[in-house]
Amino acid sequence: MKLYFAPNACSLAPHIVLRELELPFTPVRVNNQTKRTADGRDFLEINPKGYVAALELEDGNVLTEGAAILQYLADLRPEAGLAPANGTLQRTQLQAQLNFIGSELHAGMSPLFSEAIAEPVKALLREKLAKRLGFMERTLSDSGHAFGEGFSIADAYLFTVMGWSEHLRVDLSAFPAIRRHRETIGARRSVIEALRAEAQAPAV
Ligand SMILES: N[C@@H](CCC(=O)N[C@@H](CS)C(=O)NCC(=O)O)C(=O)O
């Protein structure tokens, strides 16, 4: 498998999970401006949507959308318990949480990266985000995990997205459980290795 990634982007979540599950893969850096890949390809031919993450399988199929990629990976090693079995109520509950992280937190934070958006608009976006973070804070206060009692693919996704908070000036001072989550998940070997590999990948 090949994981197309940009350093510290949302592709970090499947990157963490690939390492957590010790699956064989090749990370391929993408330049999100030029859409060129480190192995010399036009990324738009791999994912016409033009964004990471993309996972290219051995048979040439390409998976996109972080939440789908994460579940595909978890299902390759069900014994690791990173997602409940497909078709169960628990799996649907995990999907709800992945959706929440994707559509409320990830998509809620993305516009804050834009220099074209005025500061008063960003302040409104941060206000809305704070309400969503309040929900996540309560979830994490119970078990320390974004879903269920142990590490799951939702933790990899949440860790990735919350990693942008400092740069985007999203204030986490009112959310101690979210800050603790950053520390505990950030201490996992898979996370340390993924962050190191992304930081050391030569620029494209
Ligand atoms: N819906 C997609 C969104 C992916 C996404 O937002 N990717 C960002 C990085 S976090 C990206 O590559 N943006 C570059 C672009 O849109 O040109 C998913 O959940 O995977």
Side-chain angles (χ1 to χ4, degrees), residues 19-40:
R19 289 178 186 271
E20 188 79 30
L21 296 174
E22 300 182 357
L23 290 162
F25 75 104
T26 307
V28 181
R29 185 166 170 171
V30 176
N31 181 321
N32 246 341
Q33 268 71 50
T34 62
K35 304 298 173 195
R36 300 299 303 177
T37 72
D39 55 3

Side-chain angles (χ1 to χ4, degrees), residues 9-10 32 35 50-52 65-66 106 157 164:
C10 47
N32 246 341
K35 304 298 173 195
Y51 49 65
V52 294
E65 299 303 320
H106 177 176
Y157 196 7
W164 306 331

